[in-house]
DNA sequence: CTTAAGCATTAGATTCGTCTAATCCCACTC
DNA sequence: GAGTGGGATTAGACGAATCTAATGCTTAAG
């Protein structure tokens, strides 16, 4: 019923929407999907006509409940596929995003069901992203804080990292920073870099803000707790 | 580079081409893909322009070597996927065709490689269809004879059945007729039905010509050998 | 209150895959 | 060697998704 393209736009809006409460601007969508602004505008008109987004001209769009359901379905496919490719087909977690990004639009509900079953209904994907349930209930995508918001001395556990950039993922993997890794914040330098020590004694890693912003962390027991406050 | 649609047309031509040496008629392609004749004509023009088919107006088309390579790649994807879905995801062999028919256009070469490896480079899919090798060497799709060409008393082994019709597959499965099944031809009725007895004593099955034409068989040792002669 | 910069939208065009309606070939029948 | 029936092609149009170029809002600065 919906084209793969429309699904892509809805997923993009879903992802942008979790960055703030503002309506999502046309240009952000165009950027993310690598199309021109007029293209995004005209797609927003179609989506609005179908009741999948609410649109205020010159302001931006927001997913309607129906639009969010479609987005959640696509996101569920994406994250289940990433998990499946990693667990069952031996993909590296850095490689799975593009494959999942194509297949997410073409698998059947039957395929989704069987994969979920084989993986025993996983709650998170290899990057720590939460997998929407079969019922497509809204998911809290903003749980936790990001590493840029941490302060020196914080003891943290990595919860999730962005799955977008394979190079970044490969680097983090190499450095030993994956969901579940415990680390201590050594320095938050004012020039835009955060240095963390791996809790298992594997050394120190310096992470630029742009990357730190995509790493979600939780305080471990015994922390100051500052990591749970917003910046 | 090539659209999924173009791949579909090339695969369709590949499949029709193995039914005879004649060029493939536009109307056959249109029928198979469920489009109108002008649509098929115009796609044939595009494919000819790209050097993927050789076209003689009002006669039909034939795959060029390049076109055949593309078709073989798609067919390899299709049959590997069918095998994978059956072996690893627990699909029934009657259900896999449609899923494979969509995914075949969207998996990466990496996915293909990993699936082939996991399955240990299978030579045939669940329906007995030969899987083209990684090198995409031409495959003999017409090996063996079909059940309509059999004569009474022939002892045969089922080699392959068409994967197109899930109902037919479910029926044959139910009846115990799968690749590897041994059977004896009891009667070839002039009204267009073939009756066969299952060699393992599981009774007799009557198969209409239309279906028998899609079941490929080989003679077992001790047969009259007539099944290996063309009709 | 005015203006200009910076987004966003409108206008108009293109490509792909598809359709219906009209026309055209070709091969077979007489 | 016509004539005709049936399949194939041409003609013309359309929706989806995209682009470039032109125009239009909004807003923040003055
Ligand atoms: Mn996608
Ligand atoms: Mn992910
Ligand atoms: Mn297909
Ligand atoms: Mn098959």
């Amino acid at each position: 019923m919906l084209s793969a393209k429309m699904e892509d736009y809805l997923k993009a809006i879903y992802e942008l929407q979790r960055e703030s409460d503002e309506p999502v601007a046309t240009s952000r969508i165009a950027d993310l999907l690598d199309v021109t602004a007029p293209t995004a505008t005209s797609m927003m008109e179609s989506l609005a006509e179908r009741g999948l987004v609410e649109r205020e001209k010159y302001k931006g769009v927001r997913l309607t409940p129906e639009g969010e359901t479609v987005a959640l379905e696509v996101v569920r496919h994406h994250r289940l596929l990433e998990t499946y490719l990693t667990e069952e087909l031996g993909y590296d977690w850095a490689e799975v995003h593009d494959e999942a990004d194509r297949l997410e639009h073409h698998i059947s509900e039957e395929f989704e069901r069987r994969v979920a079953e084989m993986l025993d209904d996983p709650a998170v994907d290899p990057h720590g992203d939460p997998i929407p349930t079969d019922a497509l209930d809204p998911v809290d995508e903003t749980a936790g804080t990001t590493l840029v918001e941490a302060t020196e001395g914080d003891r943290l556990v990595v919860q999730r990292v962005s799955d977008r950039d394979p190079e970044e993922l490969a680097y983090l993997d190499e450095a030993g920073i994956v969901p579940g890794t415990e680390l201590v914040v050594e320095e938050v330098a004012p020039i835009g870099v955060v240095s963390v020590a791996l809790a298992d004694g594997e050394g120190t890693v310096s992470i630029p803000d742009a990357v730190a912003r995509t790493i979600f962390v939780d305080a471990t027991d015994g922390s100051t707790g500052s990591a749970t406050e917003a910046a």
Side-chain angles (χ1 to χ4, degrees), chain A:
Chain A
M1 197 66 259
L2 288 194
S3 70
K5 292 302 171 125
M6 284 188 167
E7 291 183 354
D8 273 338
Y9 281 91
L10 292 170
K11 188 171 65 138
I13 297 165
Y14 178 84
E15 272 156 18
L16 293 168
Q17 201 161 268
R18 71 175 203 253
E19 291 179 9
S20 84
D21 271 338
E22 302 300 301
V24 177
T26 308
S27 55
R28 312 274 339 265
I29 299 165
D31 272 10
L32 190 54
L33 294 181
D34 213 38
V35 295
T36 60
T39 301
T41 297
S42 99
M43 184 58 90
M44 289 313 104
E45 282 169 358
S46 310
L47 293 177
E49 229 159 66
R50 288 182 188 239
L52 297 168
V53 302
E54 206 168 324
R55 174 166 183 255
E56 216 179 328
K57 253 206 236 180
Y58 293 100
K59 290 286 171 48
V61 293
R62 256 187 248 275
L63 294 174
T64 61
E66 301 78 57
E68 187 179 16
T69 299
V70 174
L72 282 167
E73 172 76 42
V74 180
V75 168
R76 175 168 163 84
H77 286 185
H78 184 93
R79 295 180 183 168
L80 274 176
L81 280 164
E82 285 192 338
T83 310
Y84 187 77
L85 294 171
T86 305
E87 305 271 306
E88 305 290 332
L89 277 179
Y91 274 76
D92 196 282
W93 74 329
E95 310 171 319
V96 294
H97 181 79
D98 290 353
E99 191 87 47
D101 229 19
R102 274 175 290 110
L103 295 181
E104 65 192 5
H105 310 291
H106 304 289
I107 64 173
S108 65
E109 289 307 284
E110 177 69 14
F111 188 100
E112 175 196 317
R113 232 202 65 238
R114 286 179 189 267
V115 164
E117 187 181 349
M118 172 146 301
L119 296 171
D120 211 12
D121 266 314
V124 297
D125 80 4
H127 314 99
D129 298 317
I131 301 176
T133 64
D134 193 31
L136 302 180
D137 297 317
V139 166
D140 185 3
E141 297 273 358
T142 53
T145 51
T146 69
L147 196 51
V148 266
E149 302 164 56
T151 56
E152 285 167 34
D154 283 350
R155 300 187 60 82
L156 307 166
V157 182
V158 175
Q159 292 298 338
R160 55 193 289 204
V161 302
S162 164
D163 65 355
R164 275 306 166 91
D165 184 345
E167 289 211 13
E168 180 183 317
L169 284 177
Y171 178 79
L172 292 178
D173 197 23
E174 178 69 24
I177 297 179
V178 302
T181 300
E182 297 191 19
L183 40 80
V184 182
V185 179
E186 302 223 307
E187 186 187 9
V188 179
I191 55 168
V193 72
V194 181
S195 296
V196 297
L198 300 200
D200 61 3
E202 286 294 330
T204 297
V205 186
S206 293
I207 300 172
D209 278 6
V211 175
R213 220 184 309 278
T214 71
I215 300 177
F216 282 77
V217 293
D218 259 2
T220 43
D221 294 331
S223 156
T224 66
S226 71
T228 60
E229 291 157 30

